[in-house]
Amino acid sequence: MTDPTTASRQKIIIDTDPGVDDALAIHLAFADPRLEVVGLTTVFGNVHTYQATRNARHLVEMAGLAIPVAHGAEKPYQQPSRDPAHFIHGHEGFGDQPAPAPVLSVDPRSAAQFICDMADLHGKELILCPVGPLTNLAHALDLDPALPGKIGGVVLMGGAVTVPGNVNSYAEANIHNDPHAAEMVFAAAWDVRVIGLDVTEQILCSLQHLEEIAAASPQIGGFLRDVSAFYIRFYQQARAFDGCCLHDPAAVIAITDPDWFSYHKAPVKISLEGDTLGSTRIVAEANRPGVRFAVGCEADKIRAHFVATLMQADQLRAQR
């Protein structure tokens, strides 16, 4: 690991639809001293965008921070909207917990404009970490076609290149929720790393792991344990998993600890029609940029880091 006292922290924007695993990922990023989250941008997906913005503000306040939260796209780039996955994340996004009431104000810029402004401000020091549908990134590309050359890269959670999807046998949920936006992102000439179901379904977190976090960090860890109980019940009933997958946290960890993942690089295209809508498939197109998609990971190290980092969350909050 990089010593944060001798190296600058990695600047990131998390583009998010919180969502239980989004909450896990966001608090993980807040608790990792190697990361500086310069802002959150919100999008539909696990919840409606107004809920995502409210939930993101709540997570920022809980961590004792005051970073910007920019409200993002409320519908897909082209296709009709779909209902949120309430049966996975609960009606308010945090399992069976009631809707929070944060007081932090919303940044006046759109998510797309905020992304472009931060790219101009931070340049190659900035990594975008989208863990929901890629609509805000597509709109940012519309605002600034030169965006891919300005930033350090994109590390996203989405896709299922070598394994079946989780919406159907072809598509993963984030890509399926806005395939047209995903196609724009995958076709752009920036450094893209894809943390998809190919690896995230190998990284399981049990309720016991969350109890360990809650014991060490009762405020933040207790919240994460409580919201995750609903999420874990879904996995137990639908997938017979004894825990939940660390989908979104894996993308954050791929930024801080890239050596824990192995990649294959190839052009990947998004299907935009028919039964395969939203599928992420390798294509042989010489003029299309390759993306690096994770095909392997050190799941035990990733989970151990997740637990150990979040056990420090309350302590870090008290120091802010």
Side-chain angles (χ1 to χ4, degrees):
M1 294 184 180
T2 302
D3 182 351
T5 65
T6 59
S8 61
R9 296 189 295 165
Q10 174 63 60
K11 294 177 173 62
I12 66 171
I13 293 173
I14 302 179
D15 187 69
T16 178
D17 56 337
V20 175
D21 61 329
D22 301 71
L24 298 173
I26 289 165
H27 273 304
L28 174 68
F30 289 161
D32 194 316
R34 298 168 295 172
L35 292 175
E36 178 185 352
V37 183
V38 301
L40 302 179
T41 51
T42 66
V43 69
F44 62 89
N46 295 329
V47 290
H48 296 291
T49 311
Y50 79 89
Q51 295 173 303
T53 300
R54 177 202 65 203
N55 291 351
R57 291 158 58 214
H58 180 62
L59 296 173
V60 170
E61 288 183 348
M62 188 185 305
L65 295 167
I67 64 171
V69 175
H71 185 81
E74 297 180 352
K75 61 183 181 179
Y77 193 83
Q78 183 171 322
Q79 73 178 15
S81 298
R82 297 189 178 94
D83 291 332
H86 293 317
F87 62 98
I88 301 176
H89 297 273
H91 282 281
E92 300 299 341
F94 289 153
D96 53 12
Q97 302 297 303
V103 298
L104 179 73
S105 62
V106 180
D107 193 273
R109 292 164 287 189
S110 69
Q113 187 62 60
F114 180 80
I115 289 169
C116 291
D117 289 350
M118 293 301 101
D120 288 337
L121 179 63
H122 298 298
K124 295 292 185 180
E125 296 181 356
L126 179 67
I127 289 177
L128 302 181
C129 184
V131 293
L134 297 172
T135 318
N136 290 329
L137 273 66
H139 287 304
L141 287 169
D142 285 339
L143 288 176
D144 184 1
L147 178 64
K150 293 182 176 181
I151 65 171
V154 177
V155 180
L156 66 89
M157 191 281 132
V161 183
T162 65
V163 298
N166 59 1
V167 174
N168 53 43
S169 60
Y170 296 103
E172 179 274 331
N174 285 342
I175 305 300
H176 190 256
N177 277 335
D178 196 344
H180 297 85
E183 171 62 11
M184 289 180 64
V185 171
F186 277 60
W190 41 18
D191 178 20
V192 176
R193 281 188 284 152
V194 180
I195 310 301
L197 301 183
D198 311 73
V199 293
T200 63
E201 291 195 334
Q202 302 174 32
I203 312 165
L204 296 183
C205 176
S206 70
L207 189 57
Q208 179 58 40
H209 293 123
L210 291 161
E211 291 285 4
E212 292 174 20
I213 294 169
S217 287
Q219 183 176 20
I220 293 173
F223 167 80
L224 295 175
R225 175 201 57 202
D226 293 346
V227 301
S228 295
F230 185 97
Y231 191 55
I232 288 175
R233 285 197 299 272
F234 163 78
Y235 274 102
Q236 289 171 334
Q237 295 166 6
R239 305 294 297 277
F241 286 175
D242 184 22
C244 62
C245 296
L246 294 180
H247 296 297
D248 294 352
V252 172
I253 294 170
I255 295 172
T256 56
D257 297 277
D259 292 344
W260 293 347
F261 297 82
S262 58
Y263 297 89
H264 179 73
K265 185 172 184 178
V268 173
K269 196 176 182 91
I270 314 301
S271 174
L272 300 179
E273 59 186 4
D275 292 340
T276 62
L277 178 74
S279 67
T280 42
R281 63 188 194 277
I282 299 171
V283 294
E285 295 185 8
N287 61 344
R288 188 179 183 88
V291 302
R292 288 181 286 162
F293 56 90
V295 293
C297 69
E298 297 191 50
D300 290 344
K301 287 184 178 180
I302 292 167
R303 181 175 52 251
H305 167 74
F306 170 82
V307 172
T309 302
L310 282 171
M311 287 175 71
Q312 305 299 316
D314 281 8
Q315 179 181 344
L316 289 173
R317 184 195 188 284
Q319 295 171 359
R320 292 182 177 124

